[in-house]
Amino acid sequence: MAQKPLRLLACGDVEGKFDALFNRVRAIQKKSGNFDLLLCVGNFFGSTPDAEWEEYKTGIKKAPIQTYVLGANNQETVKYFQDVDGCELAENITYLGRKGVFTGSSGLQIVYLSGTESLNEPVPGYSFSPKDVSSLRTMLCSTPQFKGVDILLTSPWPKYVGNFGNSSGEVDTKKCGSALISSFATGLKPRYHFAALEKTYYERLPYRNHIVLQENAQHATRFIALANVGNPEKKKYLYAFSIVPMKLMDAAELVKQPPDVTENPYRKFGKEASTEKQTPAPEEESACQFFFDLNEKQGRKRSSTGRDSKSSPHPKQPRKPPQPPGPCWFCLASPEVEKHLVVNIGTHCYLALAKGGLSDDHVLILPIGHYQSVVELSAEVVEEVEKYKATLRRFFRSRGKRCVLFERNYKSHHLQLQIAQPGAAYFYVELDTGEKLFHRIKKNFPLQFGREVLASEAILNIPDKSDWRKCQISKEEEETLARRFQKDFEPFDFTVDDD
């Protein structure tokens, strides 16, 4: 029998507005049924008079749900948290403690770290130090069976969390937040990470915790920052979600990747950056067909600055990338992708042999995620596509060969190169001499047109290969060709140049 999910609520800075919070929780439970726990991050107490709190502390009022809170983030509120190991503050309201792990009877594992980052000694009572983070990380991650935790609660945001993700609005995640928490989250691999303090709501696209094609698939992490209770802008401060404890989940179900998953935002910034390889960022995707003699080797991945996180002072909440209408052969995180054909991975794109290629050196350039419109590509992805094109041209010239690029934006799910307005169907050809040919498609365009032209007697003189389905070879032969590409292309592989 499938395990029944736990129904949880997470809340941002309460700042002493207990009635506002608990009245809202009562309304939610009346409408949607009871929840199991309420988890509060950020400032639970505020600078307002204590009259409201006294009613809860003395039992005149009672929280309608079992509530767990983090500790102080400033000297003013340290007085409310007398026991560093945690204690009951009022009926149904429990202080978790300065740092540790809470495991419920269901097996749900919640790791908590109270306070703000401090690099000074002695560490204030409202802060955590590198030593605190290190000891907690060692305690949790040192067991051979460690896979991650269900939930991480911190008050500050992790620094750099916006890298490779959707816009974090006015919060500059390259300057704001705690680098210690970034490093901690990297090792801890929480399925959910909640934070507050910035008085805004930000639900980041989920990010992966493994290196594609180099490590076994692991679960994704969802980071959610919550606003303050009762804020006048009506930004979201309560987040409802359901979760089955990790230890009770089927392994295949646990590691299933969301279609909008991105690269890990912390990998190149944490301590592990010096020892771990950089992973490609799976945000964008563009399908560009090349006919090349490509041989490549997967090397260390380049760092990237990611997307601009300040696109609008009041951004709309993240619009998730369009999802494939069905299985996609080209999304790198998809189980349908034939990974043995992948011959090189960059930060945003990858190269793969074509299935049933016109020749042994027919390769594809593809961004890693699933997008349908070229206008959704960031500048970083376009830049890397161009870099791959230039590098491959040099490679083929060195081998006395010529190359042709073509793409079809017509009856295809997978994103193409940037050349036309959104929604326009077209066929595009680019020669290695620089000439570019563009045709606007109106209707009834042959889907194999580019391949048929190149296979014709006038060009490659292999008309029997105009249909890729008639050109397939065994997996063993494909693997041999891929290895040959990787070896021959190694001197040209720009992804190995920068760590």
Side-chain angles (χ1 to χ4, degrees):
M1 183 177 176
Q3 173 69 27
K4 184 180 178 181
L6 295 167
R7 303 179 73 226
L8 307 184
L9 289 169
C11 180
D13 305 274
V14 180
E15 296 182 330
K17 297 178 180 177
F18 309 112
D19 286 346
L21 168 62
F22 293 131
N23 287 340
R24 177 66 178 144
V25 170
R26 286 187 186 94
I28 291 173
Q29 295 200 128
K30 184 176 181 180
K31 180 180 179 181
S32 306
N34 288 338
F35 284 76
D36 296 289
L37 295 175
L38 169 62
L39 308 172
C40 296
V41 295
N43 293 313
F44 188 67
F45 294 98
S47 55
T48 54
D50 290 342
E52 201 171 302
W53 172 243
E54 283 298 319
E55 293 183 305
Y56 288 90
K57 187 177 179 181
T58 57
I60 296 174
K61 291 182 179 179
K62 176 183 172 182
I65 184 173
Q66 186 60 54
T67 303
Y68 292 92
V69 310
L70 293 182
N73 297 295
N74 51 63
Q75 186 62 51
E76 186 180 8
T77 56
V78 169
K79 62 184 179 182
Y80 296 104
F81 306 98
Q82 297 300 318
D83 189 342
V84 295
D85 295 323
C87 59
E88 185 175 82
L89 301 177
E91 187 175 359
N92 269 2
I93 303 176
T94 301
Y95 164 47
L96 286 166
R98 283 194 64 192
K99 61 183 173 70
V101 57
F102 170 82
T103 303
S105 57
S106 63
L108 185 75
Q109 200 171 43
I110 302 172
V111 174
Y112 54 90
L113 183 64
S114 292
T116 56
E117 176 180 318
S118 175
L119 303 178
N120 300 320
E121 292 288 349
V123 179
Y126 54 87
S127 297
F128 56 84
S129 67
K131 188 181 296 183
D132 291 326
V133 173
S134 177
S135 63
L136 186 53
R137 178 173 175 163
T138 300
M139 178 186 77
L140 293 164
C141 306
S142 58
T143 59
Q145 296 80 22
F146 179 79
K147 294 180 180 179
V149 299
D150 291 305
I151 298 171
L152 172 62
L153 303 178
T154 65
S155 287
W157 290 27
K159 200 170 185 179
Y160 312 118
V161 70
N163 287 335
F164 307 116
N166 45 299
S167 171
S168 53
E170 294 179 329
V171 179
D172 184 350
T173 60
K174 290 181 173 61
K175 298 177 181 177
C176 166
S178 164
L180 285 178
I181 290 178
S182 303
S183 176
F184 188 41
T186 304
L188 206 61
K189 302 171 187 174
R191 294 166 65 199
Y192 284 87
H193 179 182
F194 293 97
L197 297 184
E198 299 301 326
K199 300 187 182 302
T200 193
Y201 169 65
Y202 173 51
E203 182 173 0
R204 191 201 186 280
L205 293 173
Y207 64 83
R208 64 167 64 95
N209 285 297
H210 64 278
I211 301 178
V212 176
L213 300 182
Q214 297 179 37
E215 296 176 340
N216 292 332
Q218 298 179 45
H219 58 272
T221 294
R222 300 176 186 275
F223 172 78
I224 296 113
L226 294 162
N228 49 310
V229 172
N231 66 86
E233 298 87 2
K234 299 191 182 301
K235 295 178 181 178
K236 189 169 183 174
Y237 64 83
L238 264 181
Y239 184 91
F241 65 109
S242 298
I243 186 170
V244 174
M246 179 185 292
K247 60 172 59 178
L248 301 179
M249 288 187 68
D250 174 73
E253 186 66 25
L254 176 65
V255 303
K256 189 178 291 184
Q257 301 294 294
D260 52 354
V261 70
T262 79
E263 158 66 342
N264 188 307
Y266 317 124
R267 192 174 298 282
K268 69 172 184 166
F269 295 101
K271 293 180 180 179
E272 60 282 352
S274 59
T275 57
E276 291 189 23
K277 295 181 180 180
Q278 186 78 5
T279 337
E283 301 170 25
E284 5 281 331
E285 166 178 307
S286 117
C288 318
Q289 285 200 316
F290 287 78
F291 295 87
F292 292 128
D293 186 335
L294 169 63
N295 306 289
E296 312 194 30
K297 179 179 180 180
Q298 289 170 212
R300 291 173 298 227
K301 303 300 174 279
R302 299 177 295 107
S303 61
S304 172
T305 56
R307 291 174 180 253
D308 184 357
S309 64
K310 295 183 285 187
S311 58
S312 167
H314 301 290
K316 296 179 181 177
Q317 262 312 298
R319 178 171 61 87
K320 293 186 177 181
Q323 300 182 12
C328 180
W329 292 355
F330 302 113
C331 291
L332 197 51
S334 167
E336 280 77 22
V337 72
E338 298 198 50
K339 294 189 169 92
H340 68 282
L341 294 172
V342 176
V343 292
N344 188 270
I345 304 176
T347 301
H348 302 287
C349 308
Y350 71 99
L351 295 178
L353 293 183
K355 188 78 172 174
L358 273 170
S359 60
D360 290 351
D361 35 37
H362 179 171
V363 294
L364 312 173
I365 296 179
L366 304 125
I368 291 164
H370 190 99
Y371 281 72
Q372 290 183 296
S373 171
V374 293
V375 296
E376 296 184 43
L377 278 181
S378 71
E380 290 85 359
V381 182
V382 173
E383 181 182 356
E384 187 163 275
V385 168
E386 293 300 321
K387 194 167 186 178
Y388 266 123
K389 286 160 60 177
T391 302
L392 289 167
R393 288 190 185 103
R394 289 197 304 273
F395 171 69
F396 289 115
R397 280 199 298 269
S398 76
R399 302 175 72 83
K401 296 192 176 187
R402 305 290 298 275
C403 58
V404 175
L405 172 150
F406 75 87
E407 58 160 331
R408 168 179 50 83
N409 182 27
Y410 175 68
K411 292 189 178 179
S412 57
H413 300 152
H414 215 63
L415 182 61
Q416 316 281 311
L417 278 175
Q418 82 285 356
I419 38 176
Q421 294 301 314
Y426 60 84
F427 188 84
Y428 173 77
V429 177
E430 186 174 322
L431 306 179
D432 62 2
T433 52
E435 289 93 340
K436 298 177 182 179
L437 309 174
F438 174 81
H439 172 68
R440 179 67 59 84
I441 297 172
K442 295 192 173 141
K443 63 178 180 177
N444 300 329
F445 188 83
L447 299 184
Q448 298 289 335
F449 176 76
R451 187 180 179 104
E452 289 170 356
V453 170
L454 288 169
S456 68
E457 294 179 2
I459 301 181
L460 293 177
N461 193 22
I462 46 173
D464 56 322
K465 290 191 174 184
S466 59
D467 186 343
W468 71 272
R469 289 164 293 194
K470 297 178 181 178
C471 305
Q472 296 188 60
I473 57 178
S474 69
K475 183 176 179 181
E476 290 72 23
E477 291 174 295
E478 290 174 338
E479 290 173 339
T480 299
L481 290 177
R483 286 193 295 269
R484 184 193 303 168
F485 282 161
Q486 291 170 344
K487 182 177 183 298
D488 291 347
F489 189 70
E490 185 175 353
F492 296 83
D493 187 0
F494 65 84
T495 68
V496 184
D497 295 340
D498 332 311
D499 262 337

